[in-house]
Amino acid sequence: METPSGDPAYALERSQEEYERLGRQALFLHGTTERLLRDAGLRPGMRVLDVGSGAGDVALLAAGIVGPQGTVVGVDVDAAALRVARGRAEALGLSNVEFVEGDLDTADAGTGFDAAVGRLVLMYRADPVAALRAVAARVRSGGIIAFQELDLDPAIAARSLPEASLWNDTGRLTTEAFRRAGMQVRMGRQLFAAYTAAGLPEPTMRDEALIGGGPGFGGYAWLAGVTRALAPLIQKLGLDLPGDLDTLADRLRADAVTNGTVVWTPSFIGAHATKP
C-alpha cells in the first residue's frame, strides 16, 4: 500500500484517539529518545528540525533540551496532528517551537539547522536514503542528524520468557501487519547502511528495548495501544485480532503476572552522525 508519493501508507489511523496514543507512547519511550538526543550532542541554544513531527512529542522533548535560547521547527504532512502539536506547545508556554505543514522535500521550514531529528519516521519512507539526503540538505556543515527507528525482526520468535505468552502472540501479529503493509520493518538496523548511502559518516548507534514484568510494566498498555491503532489494517489484511481490544492491556498484564513472564519490546535503535 503506497501513497501518491510512493511511500507506504501510514499504517496507523490518523485520529484524535491516535494522537492521544502517540502521546502515551512518547511517555513510554521518553528515556530512550532523550538519551539518543543528548548523546548525539543536542544542547542549549541549538536550532533543531524535527522530521515527521506528528503531534509534536519529539519536538517538545527537543525544545526542553535546547531551552529558550534554542528553537525547534517540526515538519509533518498531517495538518490535524500539527494543530494538536501547536496546542500542546501553547499549553506548555513554549515560544521556541513552531510547526510547518508539508513534506520534508517541499515544506518551507528553512535550512542551516544545527540538528535534525526524527523518531519512527524513516520506516514509513519508500526510500529512506533519499529522505536522509533531504534531511541532510537542511542541516549545516558540522550539524547533527539523529534518528530513532524500530527494528521489527520477523525472524525473532519470542520476546518473552517463558516464550508462550499473549505478549508474543500479539507482538508477532503487529509485526506481520507492518510487514504486509510495506513498512521498512528492519529500519533500525538499516540505519547504518542508510546513513552511509546518503553520503553521511558512519553513525554512532545504540539499541534499546524496554523490558519488564509484573503488574506495573507500561509495556502492556503500549502494545495494546499499537494493536488497537493497527486494528483496521489487521482486519483488512485478513489477520485475526487478539480478542477484545478494550481488555487487551489487562489481559496482557494478567497473562504475564499469572505465569511470572518477563517481556520486552522490539529494539528501538538510534543513530547519529555529524554532517561533514
Side-chain angles (χ1 to χ4, degrees):
M1 293 182 290
E2 293 187 345
T3 64
S5 68
D7 291 328
Y10 186 62
L12 306 168
E13 289 190 302
R14 297 186 188 274
S15 64
Q16 183 61 38
E17 182 178 359
E18 170 62 3
Y19 305 144
E20 292 171 359
R21 183 197 71 81
L22 289 172
R24 294 190 295 271
Q25 175 175 269
L27 292 174
F28 184 57
L29 300 180
H30 181 94
T32 69
T33 306
E34 182 176 21
R35 284 188 287 275
L36 170 64
L37 298 186
R38 291 190 183 278
D39 286 354
L42 260 68
R43 60 184 182 273
M46 278 188 162
R47 182 168 172 258
V48 179
L49 175 67
D50 176 35
V51 180
S53 198
D57 297 297
V58 175
L60 298 179
L61 172 55
I65 296 175
V66 302
Q69 290 75 40
T71 58
V72 179
V73 178
V75 175
D76 201 282
V77 297
D78 187 344
L82 294 183
R83 285 194 292 272
V84 173
R86 293 184 186 106
R88 294 174 68 192
E90 183 178 354
L92 291 169
L94 296 175
S95 59
N96 63 336
V97 185
E98 66 174 297
F99 296 95
V100 177
E101 180 184 352
D103 184 82
L104 174 64
D105 300 316
T106 59
D108 185 17
T111 58
F113 287 94
D114 299 310
V117 302
R119 180 174 67 195
L120 308 183
V121 174
L122 299 176
M123 65 183 289
Y124 293 107
R125 299 299 293 249
D127 190 342
V129 174
L132 278 170
R133 289 196 189 104
V135 170
R138 293 182 181 267
V139 176
R140 65 168 175 80
S141 178
I144 297 162
I145 298 169
F147 278 85
Q148 185 180 46
E149 299 286 339
L150 270 171
D151 192 81
L152 296 166
D153 186 352
I156 295 178
R159 290 192 175 91
S160 75
L161 190 68
E163 295 184 3
S165 66
L166 180 59
W167 176 276
N168 268 342
D169 293 342
T170 306
R172 283 192 290 267
L173 171 65
T174 57
T175 296
E176 181 64 10
F178 276 117
R179 187 190 68 79
R180 292 197 194 183
M183 302 300 109
Q184 305 280 356
V185 294
R186 303 303 312 276
M187 194 64 241
R189 279 176 172 76
Q190 291 169 350
L191 283 170
F192 188 93
Y195 268 63
T196 57
L200 296 168
E202 295 179 353
T204 299
M205 300 184 68
R206 64 183 307 137
D207 181 346
E208 291 197 49
L210 291 98
I211 183 169
F217 182 51
Y220 311 126
W222 169 77
L223 182 55
V226 172
T227 307
R228 176 187 288 277
L230 281 171
L233 174 63
I234 290 170
Q235 292 175 307
K236 184 176 181 179
L237 293 171
L239 301 172
D240 293 328
L241 290 171
D244 181 8
L245 297 181
D246 290 337
T247 64
L248 180 56
D250 290 336
R251 288 187 290 118
L252 287 164
R253 180 182 297 105
D255 182 71
V257 170
T258 298
N259 296 293
T261 304
V262 175
V263 302
W264 53 92
T265 68
S267 292
F268 290 91
I269 297 182
H272 62 88
T274 300
K275 180 178 175 179

